[in-house]
Amino acid sequence: MSEPLVVSHGQGPRGAYVVHELTDASVGFTFGGRPAIAKLRPGDRLYTQTKDCFGGAVASIDDLPSQVCQFPYLNPVTGPFHIIGAQPGDTLAVHLVSLHPSVPYGWSSTFPHFGALTSTAQTATLQPPLEERVWRYAIDLHAQTVRYSARTSDVKIDLPLEPMLGTVGVAPAAGEVRMSIVPDRYGGNLDTPLLRAGSTLYLGVNEPGAMLSLGDGHARQGDGEVSGVAVEVAMDVVLAVDLIPGVYTPTPRLETDAALMSIGLGRPLEDAFRVAQHDLVEQIAAVTGLDLLDALQLVAQAGETRVGNVVDANYSMVARIAKRYLDGACSYAGVHAGLRSSRPVL
């Protein structure tokens, strides 16, 4: 653990807090394979920052990512944070208390061989690749808007500011090291707009300490992240963590005040869909006591599905069901409700 990176660690009126100062040494590009930069206890609130997916290298519309960024050093994540007491077989709960863009602008782009609508190594075609182009989005924190500005005309459209984190995860199992742009059962580059303030992410712990990392702030993102890039922005983050010992979560799950969700990851897209639906059915059966087929029938008639990304090494799908259909049932004995009461203490 590198103590100088923690500038404050103490007790506030609602519990313990850790303030972490972002430095180059506290940023990595993998899940697994890195020592912890700080330690957190279950119940702690963490104040930290994340860099944008370009690591700050894109500073104008003339900065093409292929020229100013170096592969594989994309999608930096802050961490990892060692969670005291976390052991394989446990579940880590990460509640996003608040997300605020650190700067009043964000960046997006198209890439020649990345995205849902261009030729890639996985979907090879003889058509020419897309032009590489960068867009600058002005962020108005007072108006809570993100301004789209067309590059080849005067069209400008104000879109709602909807901050989210694209990437949150823990170390994979068995000492495996994965690039931060890849999502899988350990979390990672999930790229779902549902990972926003007020939501709790549940991740199965695979290694001692869990080794939590986070990054890839988005001012907003459409379903599917179709161009391969959202409105990328550095982010100020407040989160709270808790530990659920002896209970393993097989694929990432989300909970909000209104819904329970399961995130499926894989390729092709229908497999990601099936993983999400399968886990949601099992989750609903567990929290309601319904038989598996009764739970399937409820999900089949009341469930909703959102696409996270269709551009990464694995695709992501989110299956969800409103809590109003579950007669007060909740996951993990109410951990989300407890973390939901977390507030900034500084």
Side-chain angles (χ1 to χ4, degrees):
M1 182 178 74
S2 181
E3 291 293 350
L5 299 178
V6 176
V7 297
S8 181
H9 191 175
Q11 194 76 18
R14 287 182 179 268
Y17 63 85
V18 175
V19 179
H20 169 262
E21 182 178 4
L22 183 66
T23 69
D24 288 342
S26 60
V27 170
F29 299 89
T30 65
F31 286 93
R34 297 186 68 240
I37 63 169
K39 291 186 178 182
L40 302 175
R41 296 162 297 193
D44 277 356
R45 278 168 292 284
L46 171 68
Y47 297 71
T48 191
Q49 303 84 38
T50 63
K51 295 186 176 185
D52 66 39
C53 75
F54 305 116
V58 173
S60 79
I61 59 173
D62 297 319
D63 290 333
L64 299 182
S66 65
Q67 297 177 5
V68 300
C69 300
Q70 181 182 359
F71 187 82
Y73 303 109
L74 293 167
N75 208 42
V77 288
T78 302
F81 295 93
H82 178 108
I83 311 302
I84 295 172
Q87 293 295 326
D90 296 341
T91 286
L92 178 66
V94 182
H95 179 72
L96 298 181
V97 178
S98 68
L99 298 172
H100 295 289
S102 304
V103 292
Y105 51 84
W107 304 98
S108 194
S109 70
T110 49
F111 282 93
H113 293 288
F114 184 61
L117 299 177
T118 187
S119 176
T120 69
Q122 290 82 13
T123 306
T125 69
L126 293 177
Q127 296 146 324
L130 292 179
E131 170 196 346
E132 188 171 11
R133 185 184 294 180
V134 174
W135 286 259
R136 185 183 190 275
Y137 284 77
I139 298 173
D140 188 329
L141 294 176
H142 177 72
Q144 292 288 289
T145 57
V146 177
R147 175 161 291 184
Y148 161 84
S149 299
R151 284 290 309 274
T152 60
S153 72
D154 293 330
V155 173
K156 298 183 186 301
I157 302 171
D158 284 339
L159 307 172
L161 173 63
E162 297 178 346
M164 53 166 283
L165 287 181
T167 305
V168 182
V170 297
E176 188 176 11
V177 177
R178 303 291 296 275
M179 292 174 60
S180 61
I181 62 172
V182 179
D184 213 322
R185 292 180 180 270
Y186 56 85
N189 195 25
L190 301 170
D191 279 332
T192 169
L194 297 167
L195 189 54
R196 56 197 179 202
S199 66
T200 300
L201 176 67
Y202 300 102
L203 299 166
V205 176
N206 306 299
E207 295 287 344
M211 308 302 277
L212 171 70
S213 296
L214 58 138
D216 191 24
H218 297 170
R220 66 168 295 110
Q221 178 203 304
D223 286 352
E225 201 179 23
V226 180
S227 75
V229 186
V231 181
E232 310 290 339
V233 67
M235 197 75 75
D236 295 329
V237 180
V238 181
L239 61 83
V241 297
D242 206 351
L243 195 61
I244 305 160
V247 177
Y248 187 76
T249 299
T251 194
R253 292 175 176 173
L254 277 170
E255 183 174 0
T256 65
D257 293 347
L260 298 181
M261 293 168 263
S262 294
I263 305 177
L265 302 149
R267 282 200 183 196
L269 193 61
E270 55 262 36
D271 279 356
F273 175 88
R274 290 185 180 111
V275 170
Q277 302 297 326
H278 177 274
D279 187 72
L280 185 62
V281 168
E282 291 200 328
Q283 186 179 179
I284 297 312
V287 301
T288 63
L290 288 170
D291 143 288
L292 197 64
L293 290 185
D294 281 337
L296 167 60
Q297 184 60 207
L298 179 60
V299 169
Q301 308 312 328
E304 302 172 79
T305 304
R306 294 270 304 265
V307 180
N309 89 83
V310 290
V311 298
D312 294 327
N314 283 325
Y315 299 153
S316 58
M317 298 283 287
V318 183
R320 66 178 178 177
I321 190 167
K323 287 181 176 178
R324 66 180 181 272
Y325 301 128
L326 305 180
D327 193 26
C330 62
S331 287
Y332 303 103
V335 166
H336 167 77
L339 289 172
R340 187 71 172 92
S341 65
S342 297
R343 294 291 186 270
V345 296
L346 294 183

